[in-house]
Amino acid sequence: MKLVRSVKQMAALTAGYQQQRRRVGVVPTMGALHEGHLSLIRVAREQNDIVIVTIFVNPLQFGPQEDFKRYPRSLTKDRRLAAATGADLVFAPSITEIYPAGFQTGIDVGELVARWEGASRLGHFRGVATVVAILFQLTQPTNAYVGQKDYQQSVVIRRMAADLRFRCRIHVLPTVREADGLAMSSRNASLRPAERRQATVLVQALELARTRIQAGAGDAGPLIDEMRQLISAATSARIDYVAIVHARTLEPQWRLHGALAILVAVWIGRTRLIDNILVDVP
Ligand code: PAF
């Protein structure tokens, strides 16, 4: 498996793949690979001739008070995991390769970023959309693979790729969970043992919502209250938001019907976790 660190080398390889008409699958990541990432790499392996995993902890998508410095970095282990899972190439550029002196441009994805993660993490999606556009430009994917765990991010990336006419199909694959239901995330490693036990309140609240909706609940308000109560019972939990939204527009929905996404963002101690489920109510 190749390790590529320079933009110039990546662009040269991409030109070669294009000339040979290879189908290129790209899995954009910030490293600290876990089973969630590996599930994306496996699907990419099945559907493409060349599989590229990008590893770049993107400073532009972290706020000044956020965990950029604390974010886990493990390139040696990540390379081993990516290779064992079938990747052909890891593209792991430095910050100055991606953002050389004088870099100015940012991509804003309009109303989709006004709420939820976008409201709690100002500038976050500008950073995500900008780096993903650069990575797509450098790798020219036929297919790109992202996880449903970052649901709003997946909607934003789809919009950006469509608006900027990237000829790339975006695949959003299901969240991979630990045995007790906690969504896999690189940030789970920062949880202390007692916090790790309490972190399951996110998935428990989502499962409660699914059960209530399947039993015919019609109004979002009381359901959100009940979810908030369940989460707040965990002593280390502090809710950022609990929302029931339209799965495509991400606007809040007060009547429970149609394609819905149920989103939760909760601080567990010093670690901010997000999770979601999709529910279709005919
Ligand atoms: O989900 C992530 O790991 C990042 O937000 C992404 C898509 C790789 C952009 O930096």
Side-chain angles (χ1 to χ4, degrees):
M1 192 196 64
K2 278 194 182 58
L3 173 68
V4 176
R5 308 221 56 151
S6 87
V7 158
K8 201 169 157 197
Q9 193 191 353
M10 189 65 250
L13 287 163
T14 294
Y17 300 145
Q18 286 199 304
Q19 217 167 34
Q20 298 154 12
R21 297 192 177 284
R22 302 286 187 97
R23 288 169 304 170
V24 174
V26 171
V27 181
T29 81
M30 297 204 300
L33 301 184
H34 52 65
E35 196 48 45
H37 300 113
L38 303 187
S39 72
L40 305 178
I41 299 172
R42 278 187 208 108
V43 177
R45 180 70 282 162
E46 282 165 19
Q47 300 181 344
N48 300 278
D49 303 312
I50 302 288
V51 174
I52 301 176
V53 177
T54 71
I55 296 181
F56 180 65
V57 185
N58 174 30
L60 231 59
Q61 70 188 73
F62 290 79
Q65 309 303 330
E66 291 185 359
D67 54 354
F68 174 67
K69 287 216 175 90
R70 279 204 307 147
Y71 200 86
R73 288 159 173 89
S74 48
L75 185 59
T76 310
K77 183 172 168 212
D78 289 348
R79 282 171 65 183
R80 191 165 42 72
L81 286 171
T85 315
D88 298 298
L89 190 161
V90 162
F91 177 44
S94 65
I95 293 178
T96 48
E97 280 288 311
I98 294 296
Y99 303 121
F103 186 94
Q104 294 282 333
T105 303
I107 297 176
D108 288 313
V109 188
E111 284 172 19
L112 286 176
V113 309
R115 297 179 196 270
W116 322 126
E117 289 307 282
S120 293
R121 306 183 64 191
L122 292 178
H124 170 67
F125 285 121
R126 184 172 216 262
V128 170
T130 304
V131 81
V132 171
I134 295 168
L135 294 169
F136 283 5
Q137 175 61 24
L138 293 171
T139 56
Q140 297 290 324
T142 320
N143 297 293
Y145 301 84
V146 296
Q148 186 197 310
K149 211 288 246 118
D150 297 293
Y151 184 69
Q152 187 174 12
Q153 167 173 282
S154 73
V155 176
V156 166
I157 291 176
R158 276 207 161 128
R159 184 76 262 160
M160 180 278 293
D163 289 352
L164 298 185
R165 312 303 199 276
F166 280 104
R167 281 183 316 197
C168 164
R169 183 152 170 231
I170 312 289
H171 303 256
V172 181
L173 301 186
T175 303
V176 178
R177 296 180 180 280
E178 303 283 356
D180 63 1
L182 178 68
M184 290 211 184
S185 162
S186 309
R187 290 194 168 93
N188 293 351
S190 331
L191 296 166
R192 298 188 174 139
E195 294 170 349
R196 170 63 189 82
R197 286 192 293 278
Q198 296 198 356
T200 53
V201 287
L202 282 87
V203 65
Q204 283 164 15
L206 294 169
E207 286 306 331
L208 170 77
R210 194 200 298 280
T211 307
R212 293 285 185 269
I213 291 173
Q214 281 169 352
D219 289 323
L223 178 51
I224 290 174
D225 288 345
E226 208 185 339
M227 292 172 72
R228 294 183 72 98
Q229 269 172 31
L230 185 153
I231 296 168
S232 303
T235 49
S236 54
R238 186 163 52 81
I239 295 173
D240 185 345
Y241 59 79
V242 174
I244 302 186
V245 307
H246 189 286
R248 280 177 295 279
T249 66
L250 306 180
E251 291 297 314
Q253 301 294 290
W254 299 108
R255 292 291 306 154
L256 297 171
H257 71 91
L260 301 174
I262 308 184
L263 312 174
V264 292
V266 179
W267 287 93
I268 303 286
R270 285 177 65 201
T271 308
R272 187 171 177 282
L273 300 178
I274 59 173
D275 198 355
N276 68 83
I277 54 168
L278 299 177
V279 186
D280 234 318
V281 190

